[in-house]
Amino acid sequence: MITLSKKLKQQSSTGKKENEENKRISIRDKLLVKEVQEMEEHLPKTCKVNFEDPNTLHKFSLIITPEDGFWHGGRFKFTINIPDEYNILPPVVTCQTRIWHPNIDEEGEVCLSLLRQSSYDSLGWAPTRRLKDVIWGLNSLFSDLLNFDDPLNVDAADHYSRNKESFKTKVKEYITMYATR
């Protein structure tokens, strides 16, 4: 089985004709050739990426299957769209799986500081960030970056603070209904 990064290496090592075509490739796409390879080499074991079209590196999906914590047993799909202005602008990430989570709302919007174009804590997006940072950050929303104190889904955070057992039950119900592996 040939990985996407190997295909990319093969494509980048072809002749002069393709070099002429590469001059028309956007900065984003040039960055992505390197970053996708790096991302694939450093994926957390709970993550899997899927490129529907291997020639379209700026749109892909990510599946996270947490091994422990509240969301253990679930399978959560995210879409990642990288804007033309990447790496000045961060990727746009949406959770496609309905989830009961303080940092992901029920419409799929994700609250992760490194995806913010500007943030007060200086942890927001910067041109020095890479795709692998985004993947690791999303994966960490199911463990160490889980934040009940600065929620996007206030109802989920309030639910947790009122009744932890009831919160756990609702998380498991959502997994059963929407995120079964």
Side-chain angles (χ1 to χ4, degrees), residues 78-91:
F78 295 82
T79 56
I80 300 173
N81 291 302
I82 301 164
D84 291 333
E85 299 84 4
Y86 182 80
N87 66 352
I88 302 302
L89 295 179

Side-chain angles (χ1 to χ4, degrees), residues 130-141:
R130 319 270 288 192
L131 280 180
K132 69 176 178 153
D133 301 327
V134 172
I135 302 303
W136 280 89
L138 290 168
N139 188 57
S140 294
L141 283 177

Side-chain angles (χ1 to χ4, degrees), residues 5-180:
S5 57
K6 287 180 183 175
K7 287 180 186 176
L8 294 171
K9 277 184 181 177
Q10 290 171 352
Q11 289 174 355
S12 66
S13 64
T14 57
K16 185 177 178 180
K17 182 179 178 184
E18 283 199 21
N19 282 339
E20 291 171 8
E21 290 175 17
N22 285 342
K23 290 178 185 175
R24 290 181 238 126
I25 294 177
S26 71
I27 291 170
R28 173 198 66 187
D29 292 343
K30 287 180 183 179
L31 288 169
L32 290 179
V33 168
K34 292 179 184 175
E35 286 194 36
V36 164
Q37 179 181 346
E38 178 184 44
M39 176 187 68
E40 286 184 327
E41 290 171 357
H42 297 97
L43 272 180
K45 63 182 178 177
T46 56
C47 295
K48 182 181 178 199
V49 294
N50 180 43
F51 290 86
E52 215 171 278
D53 177 357
N55 296 315
T56 305
L57 299 181
H58 62 275
K59 291 181 182 181
F60 61 95
S61 63
L62 168 71
I63 303 291
I64 299 177
T65 52
E67 292 183 336
D68 51 20
F70 297 120
W71 296 273
H72 171 75
R75 181 179 182 274
F76 304 94
K77 181 179 181 180
F78 295 82
T79 56
I80 300 173
N81 291 302
I82 301 164
D84 291 333
E85 299 84 4
Y86 182 80
N87 66 352
I88 302 302
L89 295 179
V92 176
V93 177
T94 307
C95 184
Q96 299 299 310
T97 308
R98 196 155 172 215
I99 184 171
W100 191 243
H101 193 293
N103 308 117
I104 303 170
D105 70 16
E106 292 200 68
E107 287 75 43
E109 189 175 339
V110 176
C111 181
L112 181 62
S113 61
L114 72 86
L115 293 175
R116 293 184 197 147
Q117 192 165 355
S118 58
S119 68
Y120 300 110
D121 58 9
S122 75
L123 298 175
W125 185 257
T128 54
R129 297 217 186 262
R130 319 270 288 192
L131 280 180
K132 69 176 178 153
D133 301 327
V134 172
I135 302 303
W136 280 89
L138 290 168
N139 188 57
S140 294
L141 283 177
F142 295 95
S143 58
D144 55 333
L145 288 183
L146 174 62
N147 187 348
F148 288 97
D149 297 326
D150 183 23
L152 177 61
N153 184 342
V154 176
D155 292 338
D158 287 346
H159 189 186
Y160 178 80
S161 66
R162 282 190 324 271
N163 187 332
K164 290 174 182 49
E165 287 307 312
S166 176
F167 174 84
K168 289 178 188 177
T169 300
K170 188 163 185 173
V171 166
K172 293 300 175 196
E173 287 172 359
Y174 269 55
I175 289 171
T176 301
M177 290 188 293
Y178 309 111
T180 305

